[in-house]
Amino acid sequence: MDDLLSRSASQAAAATAADDLLWYKDAVIYQLHVKSYFDANNDGIGDFAGLTAKLDYIAELGVNTLWLLPFYPSPRLDDGYDISEYRAVHPDYGTLADAKRFIAAAHARGLRVITELVINHTSDQHGWFQRARHGKPGSVYRDFYVWSDDDNRYSGTRIIFVDTERSNWTWDPEAKAYFWHRFYSHQPDLNFDNPRVFKAVLAVMRFWLDLGVDGLRLDAVPYLVEREGTHNENLPETHEILRQMRGYLDTKYPGRVLLAEANQWPEDTKDYFGTGDECHMAFHFPLMPRMYMAIAREDRFPITDIMRQTPDIPSNCQWAIFLRNHDELTLEMVTDSERDYLWETYAADRRARLNLGIRRRLTPLLERDRRRFELMNSLLLSMPGTPVLYYGDEIGMGDNLHLGDRDGVRTPMQWSPDRNGGFSRADPAALVLPAIMDSLYGFDAINVESQARDPHSILSWVRRMLGVRRQHRAFGRGGLRFIYPKNRKILAYLRDYEDETILCVANVSRTPQAVELDLSNMEGRVPIELTAGSVFPPIGQLTYLLTLAPYGFYWFLLASEAQWPAWEVHTPAPEPLPEYETLVIRDSIAHALTGAVGGRIERDALPVYLAKRRWFSEKGESADTISFACAPALPGADRETLLAEVEVRHRAAASHWFIPLTITWEDEPTFAMASQLALARARKARRVGLLTDAFATPHFAHGVMRALSERRELPTPQGVIRFLPEDGLADHLPTAGAEVKWLSVEQSNSSLIVGDAAMLKILRRLNEGIHPESEMTRYLTGKSFAHTAPLLGEVVRASEDGKPTTFAIIQGFVRNQDDA
Ligand code: GLC
Ligand code: CA
């Protein structure tokens, strides 16, 4: 299936260079913290050497881009977002050389690297701030930050960390002035009205871009500039700064990207793309809580609603979407009542609430419900944008509400059931954050090592889904079209890109659902389920009916006619064997047919069987009864073969049909037709096989020829069946084991050729009276007509009063003779 759904190599190769610059559209980002990932030197703190050692795991996961949380020197009062030196690595995490080695090793595996550019603020320990607070008002360094003599300026500005901060101003006793900060009071905001600040920021950018990083996440970017009388978010001056940064990037570092963290409404976030001249990417903050809202309310509306409010963005831009990250699940972009509802649903435990959000990981939020986990991830991987996965969520890691701030969602990655979850060999007390050890989420229960071995684990599922997503650029680049079925528990949308259309359908409720999708403009297309390649019925003129399990979802490729040949070749889709009854054979078929299973074959199998036969001309009429009239054994055959005669009764009339029966065993060479023409399964002790039309086996043809040459007679309750050879037979007898070629099986009669010598035709409908064809052939044979196949014999039953019924006619084989 894989290559069927993949773009051909040549197509991929044809991708233009301009296309390559848009790599972030096809990206899947994996977000992690160096300090919590893997500790190579066993001092209890994750480091670059450790991360480098785990790059194979990350590459195998199927992501292609890493986003690293801040790893710069820092007092770590905001976990590294309080930077005290921009152009260095925190010594706990290694050296700059380690960081370089890491970047090279990532690139060697085809992984790109995004790092943090935290420029709204620094730590109060940064050299700039230290000089600023000691500098004279108005001096070069003092001006790096935003100062005030009173704390009433910019009073229209909200506070972000409401749980800890009372004001955006903090008094600095050294400077004897207030400094401005949007976050913690140890994080003074830089002053972007000072051109030296901008120059300094460009120098920082240059530094990391020269080291090879592929992208920069712009932390807290809406707050760069302040203006009295505004709420100090998204100001035009801020956008001007971003445009300049982008201009610089495009000239010096084409192909590197800016990713904006702007926790804003879509119409405001859109401005961070500018006209394609600001940030390449921006997080879609409002979508995230609405995915949780949709499954809580069992209603697609929150998702469709916000996506309809989401404006189109320039073609070189891309949303970044996510379910969880290193922060609290922010509920800033919902209404107050929605926030209360989400808090009640997902953070009933009040310790889980922080600021305007919920500090929990994905799996605990979903109450360890695997179905919800898969559903939410299916949305993450199929909604428009570049998905961002948070480390640990791919194995369903839990959180620790007893840790302060957001540390509970930043605990060490759980690699194995070893000490500290395989994260570090250090004394557990020395760990940067305690590893999770509870019985549900502890590293004993949840770790990479055991999940990598388990094909049904969350990790294996995530890997598979990322593999599926990788095959289709429509996920990253396609447009979005919602379908609005009446059933609002179903979210359905189309993703189109170039000649590809993918249909995603998700049941956001806890109950099974049926849905009728209006796909009328897709008529004739064939849905192919993407995770397994099963082919669904084609889309017709009526609405398309689907049923979905609780929290179930589908991804379908809607294959157009032009795409058919590809999948037809790859999915031969053989008809599965019907659910045959098993005929238990103790001694003979004949005996078994007299038992209960024989009755069931008459009642259940034969009606269906006959209806499918081309030679059965009474298909339209529903028979009152169908039964075996008799089934005498073909004499002298090398295996049990019954010359069964089936009686079909309809009202007063009865017709008789000839179906010779035998069994082909599973351990024998098979004949394709024998399984196509089977009526039932058969089992004799441990041996199983199919009860089938004996005509489909060569044994039958040879058996008839032998019975003919031996002039056999077979008494039956309906009269004596006679094998009547003609004079010419001796010249046309096939050698034992001679090849049999079937001419027609499903015509009104069935014919085959034995050993290029004789043609055997059996008659399906049995009629009393001399068969016109045998009469004619006999006449012509008698006259020695050169072009007539000579009559070699007949199988005829004579009733008690002497009336003949022909079962089979055997003629000499004449090459090029058509199927009669
Ligand atoms: C961003 C970061 C968050 C940090 C804040 C202040 O929102 O995601 O972790 O606390 O900026 O730097
Ligand atoms: Ca370490």
Side-chain angles (χ1 to χ4, degrees):
M1 210 52 213
D2 264 14
D3 42 354
L4 148 63
L5 298 172
S6 70
R7 295 163 57 81
S8 71
S10 61
Q11 263 177 300
T16 61
D19 223 37
D20 279 347
L21 292 181
L22 300 179
W23 62 268
Y24 48 92
K25 292 198 168 208
D26 306 312
V28 177
I29 300 177
Y30 185 67
Q31 176 195 359
L32 62 86
H33 208 329
V34 176
K35 89 170 182 189
S36 296
Y37 209 61
F38 185 63
D39 173 18
N41 66 353
N42 292 316
D43 64 352
I45 307 171
D47 39 48
F48 270 108
L51 173 57
T52 308
K54 293 297 186 186
L55 279 175
D56 285 336
Y57 165 78
I58 295 170
E60 273 166 38
L61 182 59
V63 302
N64 56 15
T65 304
L66 274 72
W67 156 26
L68 269 46
L69 296 182
F71 49 78
Y72 318 100
S74 158
R76 281 206 302 250
L77 299 176
D78 184 13
D79 208 7
Y81 282 97
D82 48 333
I83 296 174
S84 54
E85 199 185 336
Y86 279 110
R87 290 186 249 181
V89 168
H90 194 299
D92 282 350
Y93 310 150
T95 63
L96 205 52
D98 292 335
K100 277 191 196 164
R101 263 192 293 276
F102 154 74
I103 292 169
H107 285 168
R109 287 165 179 78
L111 298 167
R112 289 187 153 96
V113 177
I114 295 178
T115 57
E116 291 274 353
L117 191 64
V118 186
I119 54 173
N120 176 66
H121 48 265
T122 67
S123 161
D124 60 8
Q125 301 305 305
H126 197 287
W128 296 342
F129 189 72
Q130 290 305 320
R131 268 169 276 180
R133 69 198 321 192
H134 296 119
K136 289 203 187 71
S139 66
V140 167
Y141 273 110
R142 176 70 80 112
D143 244 15
F144 258 57
Y145 295 85
V146 182
W147 299 97
S148 171
D149 292 335
D150 65 74
D151 58 359
N152 299 321
R153 286 172 67 199
Y154 309 143
S155 57
T157 314
R158 71 181 171 125
I159 292 168
I160 295 168
F161 286 166
V162 287
D163 285 3
T164 40
E165 302 303 319
R166 294 264 120 332
S167 167
N168 287 320
W169 291 109
T170 288
W171 176 255
D172 184 56
E174 296 286 340
K176 302 207 170 29
Y178 291 94
F179 65 88
W180 178 249
H181 57 89
R182 292 305 307 271
F183 294 95
Y184 285 122
S185 57
H186 52 75
Q187 286 168 315
D189 275 31
L190 286 165
N191 174 18
F192 277 85
D193 283 333
N194 179 351
R196 287 173 198 265
V197 167
F198 183 70
K199 269 183 77 182
V201 162
L202 284 191
V204 173
M205 272 176 70
R206 224 169 25 237
F207 180 82
W208 289 105
L209 293 168
D210 287 342
L211 237 68
V213 307
D214 303 282
L216 298 166
R217 172 185 179 270
L218 300 178
D219 181 73
V221 81
Y223 321 120
L224 298 186
V225 178
E226 300 76 31
R227 288 291 176 269
E228 198 60 73
T230 73
H231 64 343
N232 289 312
E233 304 192 2
N234 316 323
L235 299 187
E237 293 83 349
T238 292
H239 286 292
E240 183 49 38
I241 286 170
L242 290 173
R243 263 192 299 278
Q244 289 178 28
M245 284 172 64
R246 172 64 180 268
Y248 180 76
L249 196 75
D250 279 353
T251 31
K252 299 253 172 156
Y253 304 93
R256 318 286 184 98
V257 305
L258 299 174
L259 164 58
E261 187 216 17
N263 188 352
Q264 303 288 332
W265 292 99
E267 64 276 19
D268 294 324
T269 309
K270 180 190 184 258
D271 292 342
Y272 289 87
F273 298 119
T275 53
D277 59 352
E278 287 190 31
C279 297
H280 304 74
M281 283 199 277
F283 290 100
H284 199 310
F285 274 93
L287 172 62
M288 181 273 300
R290 282 168 182 78
M291 299 200 238
Y292 292 92
M293 185 64 117
I295 63 168
R297 291 231 162 111
E298 304 195 308
D299 185 352
R300 67 172 178 242
F301 179 75
I303 295 176
T304 50
D305 184 43
I306 198 68
M307 292 312 287
R308 278 175 299 197
Q309 297 175 42
T310 300
D312 288 341
I313 58 177
S315 63
N316 59 344
C317 294
Q318 174 83 335
W319 292 107
I321 57 177
F322 61 104
L323 296 172
R324 286 300 296 112
N325 62 21
H326 63 298
D327 286 327
E328 70 275 27
L329 188 168
T330 147
L331 301 176
E332 282 165 307
M333 290 302 126
V334 297
T335 66
D336 290 349
S337 68
E338 286 170 335
R339 182 177 315 122
D340 287 340
Y341 182 82
L342 286 165
W343 260 337
E344 277 315 312
T345 312
Y346 290 106
D349 182 342
R350 298 202 158 241
R351 288 173 308 175
R353 304 184 188 180
L354 177 71
N355 300 322
L356 292 186
I358 303 171
R359 48 179 190 150
R360 301 225 72 170
R361 266 189 180 267
L362 178 62
T363 304
L365 281 167
L366 304 177
E367 295 171 333
R368 302 177 76 243
D369 184 339
R370 173 73 180 258
R371 301 168 306 174
R372 279 186 265 183
F373 177 89
E374 293 186 2
L375 175 71
M376 290 291 273
N377 276 289
S378 83
L379 298 179
L380 172 68
L381 298 183
S382 64
M383 294 292 288
T386 290
V388 183
L389 279 66
Y390 185 51
Y391 85 95
D393 284 347
E394 78 273 24
I395 54 170
M397 260 173 68
D399 44 46
N400 182 350
L401 293 183
H402 301 283
L403 300 178
D405 201 348
R406 292 147 290 176
D407 284 350
V409 301
R410 300 173 182 180
T411 59
M413 180 68 179
Q414 296 172 189
W415 295 104
S416 73
D418 296 344
R419 168 204 284 246
N420 302 322
F423 162 71
S424 170
R425 298 289 309 155
D427 187 329
L431 294 195
V432 66
L433 283 173
I436 293 196
M437 296 202 282
D438 66 71
S439 56
L440 286 183
Y441 294 103
F443 53 74
D444 269 345
I446 292 180
N447 62 70
V448 169
E449 184 184 289
S450 51
Q451 292 199 18
R453 285 190 201 156
D454 173 4
H456 306 290
S457 65
I458 290 183
L459 175 62
S460 299
W461 182 86
V462 171
R463 282 180 178 164
R464 276 197 302 278
M465 293 304 285
L466 288 175
V468 173
R469 190 185 191 279
R470 249 197 322 275
Q471 307 296 327
H472 302 278
R473 289 180 126 197
F475 286 120
R477 300 193 177 214
L480 173 73
R481 282 188 283 157
F482 282 114
I483 300 167
Y484 299 100
K486 274 203 204 94
N487 184 347
R488 274 190 31 182
K489 295 184 186 337
I490 302 297
L491 173 69
Y493 46 100
L494 297 163
R495 303 294 318 278
D496 319 271
Y497 184 67
E498 293 178 347
D499 55 355
E500 194 171 80
T501 298
I502 290 173
L503 167 67
C504 304
V505 190
N507 174 6
V508 297
S509 83
R510 71 200 67 202
T511 51
Q513 296 293 325
V515 65
E516 288 186 42
L517 297 174
D518 179 1
L519 296 172
S520 46
N521 51 353
M522 297 282 156
E523 195 189 332
R525 294 214 182 198
V526 174
I528 303 173
E529 199 280 332
L530 287 186
T531 66
S534 20
V535 177
F536 273 53
I539 297 164
Q541 285 176 341
L542 304 177
T543 53
Y544 198 78
L545 175 73
L546 283 173
T547 56
L548 291 100
Y551 302 118
F553 73 92
Y554 293 118
W555 290 352
F556 293 112
L557 175 69
L558 299 185
S560 63
E561 222 165 312
Q563 294 163 313
W564 284 4
W567 61 259
E568 266 173 357
V569 169
H570 287 83
T571 49
E575 262 197 39
L577 277 190
E579 276 192 73
Y580 292 129
E581 290 252 7
T582 298
L583 198 61
V584 178
I585 315 280
R586 305 197 70 169
D587 37 30
S588 66
I589 311 172
H591 188 229
L593 280 183
T594 61
V597 179
R600 281 208 292 275
I601 289 178
E602 290 175 335
R603 209 176 51 243
D604 302 333
L606 277 172
V608 182
Y609 186 81
L610 287 174
K612 281 201 215 146
R613 303 284 77 87
R614 292 262 304 272
W615 46 257
F616 184 66
S617 49
E618 293 177 7
K619 285 194 263 295
E621 297 141 45
S622 64
D624 298 329
T625 61
I626 298 180
S627 57
F628 289 112
C630 61
L634 172 63
D638 61 0
R639 61 171 57 209
E640 187 182 11
T641 304
L642 302 180
L643 305 180
E645 192 175 330
V646 170
E647 180 179 88
V648 177
R649 284 199 161 273
H650 180 61
R651 309 236 171 97
S655 57
H656 282 228
W657 303 85
F658 180 35
I659 312 177
L661 295 174
T662 192
I663 292 176
T664 56
W665 298 103
E666 202 177 58
D667 52 15
E668 295 180 312
T670 52
F671 310 102
M673 250 180 337
S675 60
Q676 281 162 30
L677 297 179
L679 276 111
R681 282 178 92 238
R683 179 176 64 77
K684 191 170 192 176
R686 281 208 305 274
R687 214 174 175 206
V688 293
L690 292 171
L691 176 73
T692 186
D693 186 341
F695 179 78
T697 70
H699 312 279
F700 174 73
H702 285 283
V704 171
M705 294 307 288
R706 191 171 320 126
L708 207 59
S709 69
E710 292 170 5
R711 206 180 268 279
R712 291 280 194 155
E713 293 204 347
L714 179 59
T716 79
Q718 322 270 326
V720 181
I721 296 180
R722 297 202 166 85
F723 292 80
L724 301 168
E726 295 287 326
D727 290 344
L729 178 70
D731 297 338
H732 290 267
L733 276 181
T735 52
E739 196 193 352
V740 173
K741 289 182 198 139
W742 286 268
L743 296 177
S744 72
V745 185
E746 293 278 19
Q747 303 300 319
S748 58
N749 300 312
S750 309
S751 329
L752 53 75
I753 294 163
V754 205
D756 263 357
M759 186 175 80
L760 165 64
K761 173 192 287 188
I762 67 167
L763 305 174
R764 292 298 188 171
R765 183 172 186 146
L766 299 175
N767 289 315
E768 252 184 15
I770 294 176
H771 195 274
E773 197 180 319
S774 66
E775 197 177 30
M776 168 70 77
T777 315
R778 178 174 288 113
Y779 172 78
L780 293 175
T781 307
K783 296 273 180 207
S784 301
F785 263 90
H787 297 299
T788 318
L791 184 69
L792 302 183
E794 281 177 285
V795 182
V796 181
R797 186 183 63 209
S799 63
E800 254 167 44
D801 53 4
K803 285 204 186 119
T805 302
T806 305
F807 279 61
I809 299 170
I810 298 90
Q811 286 170 268
F813 174 62
V814 177
R815 215 167 265 288
N816 295 332
Q817 180 180 334
D818 281 338
D819 175 21

PDB file of all heavy atoms in Angstrom, residues 34-35 38-50 91-94 423-424, ligand 2:
ATOM      1  N   VAL A  34      15.933  20.309  26.244  1.00  0.00           N
ATOM      2  CA  VAL A  34      17.215  19.611  26.352  1.00  0.00           C
ATOM      3  C   VAL A  34      17.388  19.074  27.776  1.00  0.00           C
ATOM      4  O   VAL A  34      17.804  17.937  27.983  1.00  0.00           O
ATOM      5  CB  VAL A  34      18.382  20.552  25.997  1.00  0.00           C
ATOM      6  CG1 VAL A  34      19.723  19.848  26.193  1.00  0.00           C
ATOM      7  CG2 VAL A  34      18.252  21.060  24.568  1.00  0.00           C
ATOM      8  N   LYS A  35      17.006  19.877  28.735  1.00  0.00           N
ATOM      9  CA  LYS A  35      17.284  19.501  30.131  1.00  0.00           C
ATOM     10  C   LYS A  35      16.495  18.276  30.574  1.00  0.00           C
ATOM     11  O   LYS A  35      16.872  17.609  31.536  1.00  0.00           O
ATOM     12  CB  LYS A  35      17.006  20.691  31.056  1.00  0.00           C
ATOM     13  CG  LYS A  35      15.589  20.763  31.555  1.00  0.00           C
ATOM     14  CD  LYS A  35      15.391  21.790  32.646  1.00  0.00           C
ATOM     15  CE  LYS A  35      13.945  21.734  33.105  1.00  0.00           C
ATOM     16  NZ  LYS A  35      13.542  22.778  33.993  1.00  0.00           N
ATOM     17  N   PHE A  38      17.540  13.743  27.744  1.00  0.00           N
ATOM     18  CA  PHE A  38      18.423  12.621  28.101  1.00  0.00           C
ATOM     19  C   PHE A  38      19.730  13.167  28.642  1.00  0.00           C
ATOM     20  O   PHE A  38      20.331  14.079  28.069  1.00  0.00           O
ATOM     21  CB  PHE A  38      18.675  11.714  26.900  1.00  0.00           C
ATOM     22  CG  PHE A  38      19.473  10.493  27.247  1.00  0.00           C
ATOM     23  CD1 PHE A  38      18.973   9.544  28.140  1.00  0.00           C
ATOM     24  CD2 PHE A  38      20.731  10.288  26.692  1.00  0.00           C
ATOM     25  CE1 PHE A  38      19.715   8.413  28.472  1.00  0.00           C
ATOM     26  CE2 PHE A  38      21.480   9.158  27.024  1.00  0.00           C
ATOM     27  CZ  PHE A  38      20.968   8.223  27.905  1.00  0.00           C
ATOM     28  N   ASP A  39      20.148  12.583  29.742  1.00  0.00           N
ATOM     29  CA  ASP A  39      21.322  13.065  30.465  1.00  0.00           C
ATOM     30  C   ASP A  39      22.512  12.159  30.153  1.00  0.00           C
ATOM     31  O   ASP A  39      22.609  11.048  30.658  1.00  0.00           O
ATOM     32  CB  ASP A  39      20.993  13.044  31.965  1.00  0.00           C
ATOM     33  CG  ASP A  39      22.206  13.372  32.825  1.00  0.00           C
ATOM     34  OD1 ASP A  39      23.187  13.936  32.291  1.00  0.00           O
ATOM     35  OD2 ASP A  39      22.152  13.071  34.038  1.00  0.00           O
ATOM     36  N   ALA A  40      23.426  12.655  29.321  1.00  0.00           N
ATOM     37  CA  ALA A  40      24.535  11.797  28.881  1.00  0.00           C
ATOM     38  C   ALA A  40      25.637  11.690  29.924  1.00  0.00           C
ATOM     39  O   ALA A  40      26.322  10.676  30.001  1.00  0.00           O
ATOM     40  CB  ALA A  40      25.108  12.319  27.566  1.00  0.00           C
ATOM     41  N   ASN A  41      25.843  12.742  30.730  1.00  0.00           N
ATOM     42  CA  ASN A  41      26.960  12.657  31.680  1.00  0.00           C
ATOM     43  C   ASN A  41      26.496  12.335  33.101  1.00  0.00           C
ATOM     44  O   ASN A  41      27.274  12.433  34.052  1.00  0.00           O
ATOM     45  CB  ASN A  41      27.802  13.943  31.645  1.00  0.00           C
ATOM     46  CG  ASN A  41      27.004  15.142  32.143  1.00  0.00           C
ATOM     47  OD1 ASN A  41      25.798  15.039  32.397  1.00  0.00           O
ATOM     48  ND2 ASN A  41      27.666  16.290  32.283  1.00  0.00           N
ATOM     49  N   ASN A  42      25.226  11.957  33.226  1.00  0.00           N
ATOM     50  CA  ASN A  42      24.697  11.451  34.498  1.00  0.00           C
ATOM     51  C   ASN A  42      24.867  12.408  35.673  1.00  0.00           C
ATOM     52  O   ASN A  42      25.117  11.970  36.799  1.00  0.00           O
ATOM     53  CB  ASN A  42      25.320  10.085  34.818  1.00  0.00           C
ATOM     54  CG  ASN A  42      24.846   9.034  33.826  1.00  0.00           C
ATOM     55  OD1 ASN A  42      23.654   8.977  33.509  1.00  0.00           O
ATOM     56  ND2 ASN A  42      25.765   8.244  33.316  1.00  0.00           N
ATOM     57  N   ASP A  43      24.713  13.703  35.397  1.00  0.00           N
ATOM     58  CA  ASP A  43      24.715  14.641  36.523  1.00  0.00           C
ATOM     59  C   ASP A  43      23.285  15.005  36.919  1.00  0.00           C
ATOM     60  O   ASP A  43      23.070  15.863  37.769  1.00  0.00           O
ATOM     61  CB  ASP A  43      25.524  15.898  36.176  1.00  0.00           C
ATOM     62  CG  ASP A  43      24.904  16.679  35.027  1.00  0.00           C
ATOM     63  OD1 ASP A  43      23.942  16.182  34.400  1.00  0.00           O
ATOM     64  OD2 ASP A  43      25.397  17.794  34.737  1.00  0.00           O
ATOM     65  N   GLY A  44      22.307  14.358  36.275  1.00  0.00           N
ATOM     66  CA  GLY A  44      20.916  14.594  36.647  1.00  0.00           C
ATOM     67  C   GLY A  44      20.213  15.600  35.752  1.00  0.00           C
ATOM     68  O   GLY A  44      19.014  15.819  35.885  1.00  0.00           O
ATOM     69  N   ILE A  45      20.960  16.216  34.831  1.00  0.00           N
ATOM     70  CA  ILE A  45      20.383  17.232  33.947  1.00  0.00           C
ATOM     71  C   ILE A  45      20.599  16.820  32.499  1.00  0.00           C
ATOM     72  O   ILE A  45      21.722  16.490  32.100  1.00  0.00           O
ATOM     73  CB  ILE A  45      21.053  18.604  34.192  1.00  0.00           C
ATOM     74  CG1 ILE A  45      20.999  18.953  35.692  1.00  0.00           C
ATOM     75  CG2 ILE A  45      20.378  19.679  33.362  1.00  0.00           C
ATOM     76  CD1 ILE A  45      21.816  20.174  36.053  1.00  0.00           C
ATOM     77  N   GLY A  46      19.528  16.844  31.734  1.00  0.00           N
ATOM     78  CA  GLY A  46      19.640  16.516  30.314  1.00  0.00           C
ATOM     79  C   GLY A  46      20.588  17.474  29.620  1.00  0.00           C
ATOM     80  O   GLY A  46      20.756  18.623  30.040  1.00  0.00           O
ATOM     81  N   ASP A  47      21.213  17.011  28.532  1.00  0.00           N
ATOM     82  CA  ASP A  47      22.239  17.835  27.894  1.00  0.00           C
ATOM     83  C   ASP A  47      22.268  17.585  26.386  1.00  0.00           C
ATOM     84  O   ASP A  47      21.596  16.688  25.881  1.00  0.00           O
ATOM     85  CB  ASP A  47      23.605  17.548  28.522  1.00  0.00           C
ATOM     86  CG  ASP A  47      23.783  16.075  28.825  1.00  0.00           C
ATOM     87  OD1 ASP A  47      23.499  15.265  27.929  1.00  0.00           O
ATOM     88  OD2 ASP A  47      24.156  15.741  29.981  1.00  0.00           O
ATOM     89  N   PHE A  48      23.053  18.408  25.701  1.00  0.00           N
ATOM     90  CA  PHE A  48      23.115  18.289  24.242  1.00  0.00           C
ATOM     91  C   PHE A  48      23.681  16.943  23.800  1.00  0.00           C
ATOM     92  O   PHE A  48      23.223  16.362  22.811  1.00  0.00           O
ATOM     93  CB  PHE A  48      23.941  19.432  23.638  1.00  0.00           C
ATOM     94  CG  PHE A  48      23.096  20.612  23.302  1.00  0.00           C
ATOM     95  CD1 PHE A  48      23.157  21.774  24.060  1.00  0.00           C
ATOM     96  CD2 PHE A  48      22.211  20.564  22.230  1.00  0.00           C
ATOM     97  CE1 PHE A  48      22.355  22.864  23.755  1.00  0.00           C
ATOM     98  CE2 PHE A  48      21.405  21.644  21.919  1.00  0.00           C
ATOM     99  CZ  PHE A  48      21.479  22.807  22.685  1.00  0.00           C
ATOM    100  N   ALA A  49      24.666  16.439  24.553  1.00  0.00           N
ATOM    101  CA  ALA A  49      25.218  15.138  24.178  1.00  0.00           C
ATOM    102  C   ALA A  49      24.125  14.074  24.283  1.00  0.00           C
ATOM    103  O   ALA A  49      24.022  13.181  23.432  1.00  0.00           O
ATOM    104  CB  ALA A  49      26.394  14.790  25.076  1.00  0.00           C
ATOM    105  N   GLY A  50      23.291  14.190  25.312  1.00  0.00           N
ATOM    106  CA  GLY A  50      22.201  13.233  25.482  1.00  0.00           C
ATOM    107  C   GLY A  50      21.185  13.335  24.356  1.00  0.00           C
ATOM    108  O   GLY A  50      20.762  12.331  23.774  1.00  0.00           O
ATOM    109  N   PRO A  91      25.768  26.018  30.955  1.00  0.00           N
ATOM    110  CA  PRO A  91      26.795  24.988  31.203  1.00  0.00           C
ATOM    111  C   PRO A  91      26.203  23.646  31.641  1.00  0.00           C
ATOM    112  O   PRO A  91      26.799  22.603  31.382  1.00  0.00           O
ATOM    113  CB  PRO A  91      27.663  25.593  32.315  1.00  0.00           C
ATOM    114  CG  PRO A  91      27.027  26.875  32.712  1.00  0.00           C
ATOM    115  CD  PRO A  91      25.999  27.257  31.703  1.00  0.00           C
ATOM    116  N   ASP A  92      25.018  23.667  32.264  1.00  0.00           N
ATOM    117  CA  ASP A  92      24.399  22.390  32.639  1.00  0.00           C
ATOM    118  C   ASP A  92      24.093  21.523  31.421  1.00  0.00           C
ATOM    119  O   ASP A  92      23.987  20.302  31.527  1.00  0.00           O
ATOM    120  CB  ASP A  92      23.073  22.636  33.373  1.00  0.00           C
ATOM    121  CG  ASP A  92      23.301  23.040  34.825  1.00  0.00           C
ATOM    122  OD1 ASP A  92      24.455  22.930  35.283  1.00  0.00           O
ATOM    123  OD2 ASP A  92      22.327  23.461  35.476  1.00  0.00           O
ATOM    124  N   TYR A  93      23.888  22.172  30.262  1.00  0.00           N
ATOM    125  CA  TYR A  93      23.468  21.430  29.071  1.00  0.00           C
ATOM    126  C   TYR A  93      24.627  21.097  28.144  1.00  0.00           C
ATOM    127  O   TYR A  93      24.431  20.427  27.132  1.00  0.00           O
ATOM    128  CB  TYR A  93      22.421  22.218  28.277  1.00  0.00           C
ATOM    129  CG  TYR A  93      21.251  22.733  29.096  1.00  0.00           C
ATOM    130  CD1 TYR A  93      20.590  23.907  28.739  1.00  0.00           C
ATOM    131  CD2 TYR A  93      20.796  22.023  30.216  1.00  0.00           C
ATOM    132  CE1 TYR A  93      19.517  24.381  29.480  1.00  0.00           C
ATOM    133  CE2 TYR A  93      19.727  22.502  30.969  1.00  0.00           C
ATOM    134  CZ  TYR A  93      19.091  23.676  30.603  1.00  0.00           C
ATOM    135  OH  TYR A  93      18.043  24.135  31.347  1.00  0.00           O
ATOM    136  N   GLY A  94      25.819  21.623  28.450  1.00  0.00           N
ATOM    137  CA  GLY A  94      26.976  21.348  27.602  1.00  0.00           C
ATOM    138  C   GLY A  94      27.615  22.632  27.126  1.00  0.00           C
ATOM    139  O   GLY A  94      27.461  23.690  27.754  1.00  0.00           O
ATOM    140  N   PHE A 423      16.402   8.042  32.062  1.00  0.00           N
ATOM    141  CA  PHE A 423      16.779   9.412  31.689  1.00  0.00           C
ATOM    142  C   PHE A 423      18.202   9.735  32.136  1.00  0.00           C
ATOM    143  O   PHE A 423      18.960  10.418  31.450  1.00  0.00           O
ATOM    144  CB  PHE A 423      15.780  10.390  32.297  1.00  0.00           C
ATOM    145  CG  PHE A 423      16.249  11.812  32.373  1.00  0.00           C
ATOM    146  CD1 PHE A 423      16.376  12.579  31.221  1.00  0.00           C
ATOM    147  CD2 PHE A 423      16.556  12.395  33.602  1.00  0.00           C
ATOM    148  CE1 PHE A 423      16.812  13.900  31.304  1.00  0.00           C
ATOM    149  CE2 PHE A 423      16.993  13.706  33.685  1.00  0.00           C
ATOM    150  CZ  PHE A 423      17.128  14.465  32.533  1.00  0.00           C
ATOM    151  N   SER A 424      18.571   9.235  33.305  1.00  0.00           N
ATOM    152  CA  SER A 424      19.861   9.574  33.903  1.00  0.00           C
ATOM    153  C   SER A 424      20.216   8.509  34.933  1.00  0.00           C
ATOM    154  O   SER A 424      19.328   7.938  35.570  1.00  0.00           O
ATOM    155  CB  SER A 424      19.753  10.945  34.584  1.00  0.00           C
ATOM    156  OG  SER A 424      20.896  11.205  35.367  1.00  0.00           O
TER     157      SER A 424
HETATM  158 CA    CA B   2      23.892  16.217  32.144  1.00  0.00          CA
END
